């Protein structure tokens, strides 16, 4: 539609579109081939999007499962710690039947953890690594250089090659300097 003409400015007239160009079968085939190409590309993008969605969902479900398993494994480690403290008790004698039973249960728990790729790692005498260790304390030591772990308070564990629980350790500050102030010690 166009508004008026020079002779009659308020008159609205209908403008006809130009007649459609004659379509030859070759032109129509090319148009259909282009439409088909676009639909194929759209189909492939949709398949790729769905495949990515499926993979992401699989990873998320795996992460949820691992988080649950991690919680259970940490609970088992707490039980292992209790067994280790019980085994160090003077109340249990080596030939005592209770001691033998506790050792048997402890070994079953060790095998269970190994089946799930949970392994303890050695800390005593190693250099402190903040990725593996959690320093509970530091102490001066004339026998150990600075940064060496001198006592393990709680074992550390790896699960599938990653830290499940860091080891709680005491780390050497090295030899105290002669200039360091002396502390009064009650003996």
């Amino acid at each position: 539609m166009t508004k008026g003409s020079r002779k009659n400015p308020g008159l609205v007239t209908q403008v006809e579109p130009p007649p459609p160009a004659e379509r030859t079968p070759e032109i129509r085939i090319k148009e259909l081939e282009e439409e088909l190409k676009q639909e194929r590309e759209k189909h492939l993008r949709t398949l790729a999007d769905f495949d990515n969605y499926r993979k992401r969902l699989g990873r998320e479900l795996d992460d949820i499962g691992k988080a649950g398993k991690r919680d259970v494994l940490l609970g088992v480690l707490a039980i292992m710690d209790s067994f280790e403290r019980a085994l160090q008790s003077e109340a249990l004698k080596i030939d005592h039947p209770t001691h033998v039973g506790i050792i048997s249960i402890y070994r079953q728990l060790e095998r269970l953890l190994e089946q799930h790729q949970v392994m303890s790692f050695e800390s005593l005498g190693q250099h402190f690594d903040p990725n593996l260790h959690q320093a509970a304390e530091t102490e001066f030591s004339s026998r150990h250089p600075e940064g060496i772990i001198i006592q393990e308070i709680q074992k550390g564990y790896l699960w599938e090659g990653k830290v499940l629980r860091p080891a709680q350790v005491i780390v050497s500050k090295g030899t105290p300097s002669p200039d360091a102030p002396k502390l009064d010690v009650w003996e």
Side-chain angles (χ1 to χ4, degrees):
M1 289 209 314
T2 60
K3 237 181 173 183
S5 64
R6 286 188 190 167
K7 293 182 187 175
N8 200 349
L11 182 65
V12 178
T13 59
Q14 192 77 10
V15 177
E16 302 248 346
E22 289 291 322
R23 290 188 187 161
T24 63
E26 292 81 22
I27 292 174
R28 184 65 182 139
I29 289 172
K30 285 184 181 181
E31 289 172 346
L32 291 173
E33 285 174 345
E34 183 61 30
E35 283 180 39
L36 181 61
K37 180 181 173 187
Q38 290 174 358
E39 289 299 319
R40 280 185 185 150
E41 289 173 1
K42 195 188 308 183
H43 176 70
L44 290 175
R45 279 192 303 274
T46 302
L47 286 175
D49 288 345
F50 180 74
D51 190 46
N52 290 337
Y53 167 76
R54 185 182 51 77
K55 288 176 184 175
R56 186 178 69 244
L57 186 62
R59 283 190 305 269
E60 288 173 1
L61 288 173
D62 189 44
D63 290 346
I64 290 169
K66 281 189 174 188
K69 186 175 180 178
R70 181 181 186 280
D71 290 343
V72 170
L73 291 173
L74 287 171
V76 171
L77 292 180
I79 295 168
M80 292 285 289
D81 294 339
S82 296
F83 273 104
E84 287 173 359
R85 283 189 295 276
L87 289 170
Q88 292 173 357
S89 168
E90 289 297 320
L92 294 174
K93 301 294 180 194
I94 292 177
D95 59 347
H96 194 273
T98 304
H99 187 263
V100 173
I102 288 176
I103 289 175
S104 175
I105 295 169
Y106 180 79
R107 289 198 176 127
Q108 286 176 339
L109 287 171
E110 278 183 322
R111 283 191 299 274
L112 174 70
L113 290 172
E114 286 175 11
Q115 288 170 357
H116 290 276
Q117 300 171 343
V118 176
M119 302 292 183
S120 64
F121 55 88
E122 187 62 38
S123 296
L124 196 59
Q126 304 295 316
H127 283 280
F128 177 79
D129 180 349
N131 297 312
L132 298 173
H133 307 112
Q134 184 175 7
E137 293 180 42
T138 56
E139 292 181 2
F140 286 111
S141 172
S142 57
R143 294 187 349 214
H144 303 283
E146 185 176 356
I148 297 296
I149 296 169
I150 56 177
Q151 185 179 349
E152 183 178 67
I153 298 169
Q154 186 180 55
K155 276 187 184 180
Y157 289 87
L158 300 174
W159 175 38
E160 296 179 350
K162 296 178 184 171
V163 177
L164 176 62
R165 183 179 79 182
Q168 298 240 345
V169 297
I170 297 175
V171 182
S172 171
K173 288 196 231 180
T175 306
S177 72
D179 300 335
K182 304 265 188 232
L183 299 175
D184 288 337
V185 180
W186 296 73
E187 292 189 46

